[in-house]
Amino acid sequence: MSEKMYCDPAEILEVTVQKGIAKASTPVWKLLLLGFLAGAFIAFASEGSNMAAFGLFAKPETYGLGKFVAGLIFPVGLMLVLLAGAELFTGNNLIIAAVLEKKVKLSAMLKNWLAVYIGNFIGSVFLAFLIVKSGQLSSGASLLGGITVKIAYGKVSLSFVQAVFLGIMCNWLVCLAVWLCYGAKDMAGKLLAAFFPIWLFITSGFEHSVANMYYIPAGILAKTVPAYAAASGLSAEALANINWAAFFVNNLIPVTLGNIIGGAFFVGTFYWICYKKK
């Protein structure tokens, strides 16, 4: 009888704990570099999904279909993180399982999160800069640039509570994707495990802190190009609201808090309670 090609939930928890131990012991310089790569990978997924769906996003009646199409492209970002090798802040929220198991100190987990978060931010913003300066956003008579600006505006216009709740639901699904990937024992299984939960999160329109490190800076940079600003159809007042302060205060901080709750609590902590807590 052949060996099964997947782990059951209790076995996945053991893999998650061991992964957490390894991640918490990784040197900061390496976390920064691998974090940079993960930020770039998620940014590639973000810009690619926008390219695929911007025409659908432009019309209210096809907006949902646009999210569906974008969701088909976006999972490539997490696939690259998990299989090519990189460190993603949202996925690393699962290190909490190793902390609860008393195999990793809380301070070591927080150090990992901070270093990876910084690396993710640099990588994402770097890609946003390259995309805007490359002229890629002029696609579709600059409609892609206009949609990029509108996406950023929508994200910085969320209330604090909305951003937190959308962040919770997002990373609940993202960490489930990582969890399932840990449970698959071959490449095909890992790719499928990474695909479906991420497709669901993008189609649903939830908020991912690292993806937003691309979406909003890309909008901030794109609005300085007159053709993109005009294609967005936004007023001068709305365009002025797309800025770095609004990015951090209105979106990144609350979404990050929500992501931590969704991943560290609803996935890492819940499964540890169910399968390990005495």
Side-chain angles (χ1 to χ4, degrees), residues 4-277:
K4 67 176 184 179
M5 298 306 294
Y6 63 93
C7 301
D8 62 36
E11 293 170 330
I12 297 175
L13 181 60
E14 292 298 333
V15 174
T16 302
V17 169
Q18 294 305 312
K19 292 279 189 181
I21 294 170
K23 289 175 179 293
S25 61
T26 302
V28 170
W29 68 267
K30 188 176 290 188
L31 292 175
L32 289 169
L33 292 177
L34 292 172
F36 175 90
L37 289 178
F41 295 162
I42 298 300
F44 275 126
S46 302
E47 63 81 17
S49 61
N50 278 353
M51 173 63 86
F54 73 87
L56 297 169
F57 287 155
K59 300 177 182 179
E61 62 270 23
T62 57
Y63 183 82
L65 180 59
K67 298 298 287 184
F68 179 91
V69 171
L72 294 172
I73 305 297
F74 195 92
V76 175
L78 187 64
M79 292 173 185
L80 292 173
V81 169
L82 292 172
L83 302 179
E87 291 287 323
L88 182 65
F89 166 75
T90 47
N92 283 12
N93 287 173
L94 289 176
I95 297 173
I96 191 67
V99 174
L100 293 170
E101 195 66 7
K102 295 183 169 56
K103 298 291 182 64
V104 168
K105 292 182 178 180
L106 178 63
S107 60
M109 179 185 73
L110 295 176
K111 181 178 73 173
N112 174 282
W113 286 3
L114 179 60
V116 170
Y117 195 83
I118 292 170
N120 291 167
F121 182 84
I122 297 171
S124 298
V125 174
F126 178 67
L127 250 293
F129 175 81
L130 292 183
I131 288 295
V132 174
K133 295 302 181 181
S134 72
Q136 187 231 39
L137 298 184
S138 62
S139 300
S142 296
L143 182 58
L144 176 56
I147 292 298
T148 299
V149 175
K150 285 188 72 174
I151 288 172
Y153 177 71
K155 290 179 178 294
V156 300
S157 299
L158 294 170
S159 72
F160 190 92
V161 172
Q162 285 178 316
V164 170
F165 285 0
L166 290 168
I168 289 172
M169 293 184 285
C170 166
N171 210 34
W172 195 337
L173 289 172
V174 171
C175 281
L176 282 173
V178 175
W179 176 270
L180 292 174
C181 192
Y182 285 169
K185 294 184 178 180
D186 64 350
M187 182 72 79
K190 290 181 182 294
L191 291 173
L192 288 171
F195 178 80
F196 287 100
I198 303 304
W199 187 15
L200 176 56
F201 123 61
I202 290 294
T203 302
S204 300
F206 299 148
E207 291 288 309
H208 188 268
S209 57
V210 179
N212 288 353
M213 293 173 186
Y214 168 81
Y215 285 127
I216 301 175
I220 292 171
L221 296 172
K223 76 168 189 175
T224 64
V225 179
Y228 304 158
S232 73
L234 296 174
S235 66
E237 181 182 3
L239 290 171
N241 289 333
I242 308 171
N243 55 65
W244 292 102
F247 168 39
F248 288 107
V249 175
N250 296 354
N251 187 278
L252 194 58
I253 291 173
V255 168
T256 299
L257 291 174
N259 287 169
I260 292 171
I261 296 168
F265 182 69
F266 283 107
V267 182
T269 301
F270 259 50
Y271 280 130
W272 181 83
I273 291 171
C274 291
Y275 293 105
K276 292 292 288 186
K277 182 173 170 59

